[in-house]
């Protein structure tokens, strides 16, 4: 037995001391409004199984009763010959469980294949352990109701620890997927074959840990060996279990040079440029002193990794403390019958005798106010500029996207079904009112920003609470960003929207039909500003901004693409938003000011397209744009002869039906992303039997719509809307009737007799011909007249 830790035989536990559960769907009750942040599921769950893509194995999960949304997770790899359950029952496993209970963190214990041996040689004859462990990681972070041990893990604070052979496997897992770890430790096991080090280190890195795919991998071409991971190597007393090659690998990956020893490690490496990048090496003789508590509290939990930059940036964990007057202060209060939270950061310069601005910063789906301080670092901007930040906390909501209750901001315009929606606008009004009561706030300078689902919430505040806030910066999502019909603002509402190049919802594309295009189109019209942008690029070339100005040059609408970034909120964005946007706006007595000058009342901007003047469908196009069914392909172009694809067709029909759609109903289609602009309309059209997919698993969103397909869609749409088609024409056969598909003949006949669709030259219906935007605009006006 090795001294670094003790096997199961050292401690015998009775069954009553362990909580176990068999694999099944999560079992939990309704969210308790008096204690909503408690975990839906808690306890020890053994024999959690993976059996997919040829990867087979099992693991155990421990979720303490004091675990809260978006909290740390630690994955622990057991030695050879030891199951996850046996490790949990060992002295070391019980120490980890006790630490979980003390700190409210989740721990996951993973065993080698069949509880026997880790495939350290990367043999093709044995399980691909790195792929298996990644599958475990993906599973535990999914939050799915289909799991029996789901929990809301904070991906920023995910750590890896391995013992003996599991320690060597931990090295290999961190080498294979470095960007997902904020830190790792290997206890008594560093004998990684040099061939494995070379193979894993030379492979291209997974650049963006939270992107859930490999976007940017080829473009960045960063080898795994260049991605830093803070690593603590606790050596074995058996020198054969140690490896100088592993030590050298991690020192190089962290760009770290050897420096002075500390009380825990006899050899220490630290990067001069980023002191979070570090490697500690502890002699085997001191291994017994490196307890789970020491490993976690003295090394692992000190650093977190944040998505946004390739490799993910490593930062010291934010300490949410205060000195009684300044710093972080957490508040809880019953609001509308529910226990709600928020956290206020008060800068060291704050003096209650002077009113200061307020920024309301809102985290994304399944995140937390404590996590958003690390993502955005708004507290650093507040400290430097002397204003107060309130970090809001979402309320756990059940069933969103098939997940357990996790924090979610309810924006009814997003098109997601929520069984028990929370009145978020009431929450924000009451939080701001309470902060104004607790602190001296300049009511003329109150701003809102948020990321992802928090971006959606920020858009809702811009739509509904523009009297309370001065300017808005929604980052990373445009779901629920606008009404179907443009409502002119009485007072201009400054908005700055940013999206990453590899972001959700079509990235940062402003192409016609994308959510970003429709969002910017809405807000330029609502603010009465030019639809023609002035492009600006910062000195780094990373932030490319389209600026839409009013007649006086005031930048009331901005859209920025963040190059080489995924779905993220970066500290640089917070700095830009404050310095270049929020700080320039104030609002008093219903008048908006930009750099101290009053901003003119918005006037309806001309939205004339240069390519429809005199077009045969001009009137229908202009009416369709006015109704919100269409927008231009650019500020000055409608592109009337452009082909309509299936995504656009169902979107126009959905807008005409004035429905928010149902994105969840589109989940069966593998080619419809949940955040695509048309997803909710695809789901709605499927539910209403307006159209089916091109197969059981595909919708074919980019496929062109033919005239006979449109006839079928329109016939089903009219029926779903409860309308009756008139008989305006006598039934007559087209010259190419034989070319009309049998499944479309009835619908084509209905369109012909009702006058909704007419034939072309020489009495041709042209069933296989592609539908143009102009044709769709015309038939939609005929439908609207029914």
């Amino acid at each position: 037995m090795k001294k670094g830790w003790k096997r199961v035989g050292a401690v015998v536990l009775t069954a009553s001391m362990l909580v176990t559960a068999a694999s099944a769907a999560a079992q939990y009750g309704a969210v308790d409004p008096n204690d909503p942040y408690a975990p839906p599921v808690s306890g020890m769950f053994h024999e959690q199984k993976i059996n997919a893509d040829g990867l087979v194995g099992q693991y155990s999960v421990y979720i303490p009763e004091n675990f809260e949304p978006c909290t740390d997770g630690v994955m622990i790899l057991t030695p050879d010959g030891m199951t996850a359950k046996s490790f949990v029952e060992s002295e070391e496993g019980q120490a980890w469980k006790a630490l979980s209970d003390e700190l409210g963190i989740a721990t996951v214990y993973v065993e080698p294949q069949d509880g026997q041996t880790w495939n350290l040689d990367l043999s093709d004859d044995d399980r691909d352990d790195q792929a298996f462990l990644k599958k475990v990681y993906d599973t535990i972070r999914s939050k799915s109701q289909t799991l029996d041990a789901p929990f809301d893990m904070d991906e920023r604070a995910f750590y890896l620890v391995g013992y003996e052979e599991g320690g060597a496997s931990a090295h290999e897992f961190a080498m294979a997927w470095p960007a997902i770890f904020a830190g790792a430790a290997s206890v008594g096991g560093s004998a990684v074959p040099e061939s494995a080090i070379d193979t894993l280190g030379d492979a291209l890195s997974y650049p963006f840990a939270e992107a859930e795919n490999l976007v940017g991998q080829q473009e960045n071409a960063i080898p795994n060996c260049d991605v830093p991971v803070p690593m603590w190597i606790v050596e074995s007393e058996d020198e054969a279990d140690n490896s100088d090659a592993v030590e050298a690998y991690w020192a190089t990956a962290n760009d770290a040079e050897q420096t002075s020893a500390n009380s825990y490690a006899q050899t220490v490496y630290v990067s001069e440029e980023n002191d979070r990048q570090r490697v500690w090496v502890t002699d085997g003789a001191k291994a017994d002193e490196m307890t789970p508590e020491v490993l976690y509290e003295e090394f692992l939990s000190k650093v977190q990794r944040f998505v946004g930059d390739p490799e993910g940036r490593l930062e010291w964990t934010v300490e949410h403390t205060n000195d009684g007057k300044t710093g972080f202060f957490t508040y809880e209060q019953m609001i509308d019958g529910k226990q709600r939270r928020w956290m206020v950061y008060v800068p060291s310069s704050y003096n209650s005798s002077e009113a200061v601005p307020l920024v309301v910063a809102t985290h994304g789906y399944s995140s937390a106010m404590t996590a958003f301080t690390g993502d955005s670092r708004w507290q650093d901007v507040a400290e430097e500029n002397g204003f107060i930040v309130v970090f809001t906390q979402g309320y756990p909501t059940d069933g969103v996207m098939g997940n357990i209750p996790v924090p979610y901001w309810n924006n009814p315009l997003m098109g997601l079904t929520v069984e028990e929606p929370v009145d978020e606008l009431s929450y924000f009004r009451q939080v701001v009112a309470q902060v104004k009561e607790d602190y001296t706030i300049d009511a003329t300078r109150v701003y809102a920003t948020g990321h992802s689902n928090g971006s959606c919430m920020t858009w809702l505040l811009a739509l509904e609470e523009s009297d309370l806030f001065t300017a808005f910066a929604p980052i990373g999502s445009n779901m629920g960003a606008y009404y179907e019909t443009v409502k002119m603002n009485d007072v201009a509402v400054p908005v700055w929207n940013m999206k990453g190049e590899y972001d959700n919802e079509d990235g940062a594309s402003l192409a016609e039909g994308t959510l970003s295009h429709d969002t910017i189109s809405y807000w330029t019209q609502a603010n009465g500003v030019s639809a023609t942008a002035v492009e600006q690029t910062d000195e780094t070339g990373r932030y490319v901004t389209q600026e839409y100005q009013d007649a006086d040059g005031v930048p009331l609408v901005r859209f920025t693409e963040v190059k080489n970034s995924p779905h993220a909120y970066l500290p640089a964005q917070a700095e830009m938003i404050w310095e270049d946007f929020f700080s320039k706006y104030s609002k008093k007595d219903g008048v908006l000011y930009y750099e101290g000058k009053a901003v003119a009342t918005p006037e309806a901007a001309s939205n004339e397209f240069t390519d429809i003047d005199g077009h045969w469908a001009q009137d229908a196009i202009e009416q369709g744009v006015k109704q919100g069914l269409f927008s231009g392909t650019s500020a000055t172009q409608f592109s009337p002869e452009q082909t309509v694809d299936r995504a656009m067709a169902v979107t126009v029909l959905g807008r005409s039906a004035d429905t928010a759609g149902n994105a969840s109903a589109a989940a069966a289609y593998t080619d419809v992303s949940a955040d695509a602009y048309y997803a909710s309309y695809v789901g709605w059209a499927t539910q209403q039997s307006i159209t089916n997919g091109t197969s059981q698993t595909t919708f074919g969103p980019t496929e062109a719509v033919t005239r006979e397909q449109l006839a079928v869609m329109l016939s089903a749409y009219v029926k779903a809307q409860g309308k009756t088609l008139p008989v305006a024409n006598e039934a007559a056969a087209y010259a190419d009737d034989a070319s009309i598909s049998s499944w479309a003949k009835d619908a084509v006949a209905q369109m012909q007799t009702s006058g909704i669709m007419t034939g072309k030259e020489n009495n041709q219906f042209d069933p296989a011909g592609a539908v143009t935007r102009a044709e769709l605009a015309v038939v939609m006006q005929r439908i609207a007249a029914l």
Side-chain angles (χ1 to χ4, degrees), residues 410-447:
N410 177 43
N411 179 339
L413 298 177
M414 288 176 60
L416 298 179
T417 301
V418 179
E419 291 185 2
E420 297 183 9
V422 176
D423 187 347
E424 307 289 14
L425 297 177
S426 174
Y427 165 78
F428 277 85
R429 286 193 296 267
Q430 294 186 58
V431 168
V432 171
Q434 188 62 55
V435 173
K436 287 180 177 179
E437 183 176 325
D438 295 336
Y439 303 95
T440 308
I441 300 298
D442 181 353
T444 71
R445 304 179 69 193
V446 180
Y447 313 97

Side-chain angles (χ1 to χ4, degrees), residues 136-151:
V136 173
Y137 170 79
D138 290 338
T139 300
I140 62 176
R141 72 186 289 267
S142 71
K143 304 174 283 288
S144 172
Q145 293 173 334
T146 62
L147 305 175
D148 66 335
F151 61 96

Side-chain angles (χ1 to χ4, degrees), residues 714-732:
L714 294 177
S715 177
Y717 172 77
V718 169
K719 180 179 179 181
Q721 292 299 107
K723 296 176 179 288
T724 301
L725 287 171
V727 179
N729 303 314
E730 291 186 7

Side-chain angles (χ1 to χ4, degrees), residues 183-206:
S186 170
V187 181
S190 296
V192 180
E194 291 195 28
S195 59
I197 294 175
D198 292 340
T199 297
L200 298 172
D202 290 343
L204 293 185
S205 174
Y206 175 47

Side-chain angles (χ1 to χ4, degrees), residues 214-294:
L214 296 177
V215 296
Q217 184 186 52
Q218 298 301 317
E219 293 87 342
N220 284 283
I222 302 169
N224 285 327
C225 61
D226 285 349
V227 181
V229 178
M231 177 63 70
W232 191 348
I233 302 171
V234 181
E235 295 184 331
S236 168
E237 287 190 271
D238 185 347
E239 293 185 3
D241 291 337
N242 303 323
S243 170
D244 292 339
V246 164
E247 183 177 322
Y249 178 95
W250 289 116
T252 301
N254 284 283
D255 191 25
E257 300 291 336
Q258 190 168 347
T259 184
S260 302
N262 59 42
S263 58
Y264 297 104
Q266 289 68 55
T267 305
V268 175
Y269 302 86
V270 178
S271 169
E272 290 186 4
E273 294 187 5
N274 184 341
D275 58 1
R276 284 82 73 192
Q277 298 173 198
R278 56 205 175 120
V279 180
W280 290 6
V281 183
T282 298
D283 292 343
K286 292 183 174 292
D288 283 344
E289 301 174 23
M290 304 307 112
T291 64
E293 182 177 12
V294 170

Side-chain angles (χ1 to χ4, degrees), residues 502-567:
Y502 301 119
D503 214 324
N504 301 334
E505 302 166 3
D506 301 300
S509 173
L510 283 173
E512 199 276 337
T514 63
L515 267 177
S516 294
H517 173 278
D518 291 351
T519 296
I520 297 304
S521 176
Y522 177 95
W523 285 96
T524 53
Q525 293 180 64
N527 279 326
V529 301
S530 171
T532 301
V534 176
E535 184 171 292
Q536 302 173 348
T537 302
D538 79 314
E539 59 184 13
T540 70
R542 192 177 190 192
Y543 296 88
V544 181
T545 299
Q546 308 300 321
E547 187 171 276
Y548 304 85
Q549 304 173 352
D550 71 1
D552 297 320
V554 178
L556 291 171
V557 179
R558 281 177 172 169
F559 179 87
T560 294
E561 176 183 9
V562 185
K563 296 291 187 181
N564 205 19
S565 187
H567 190 56

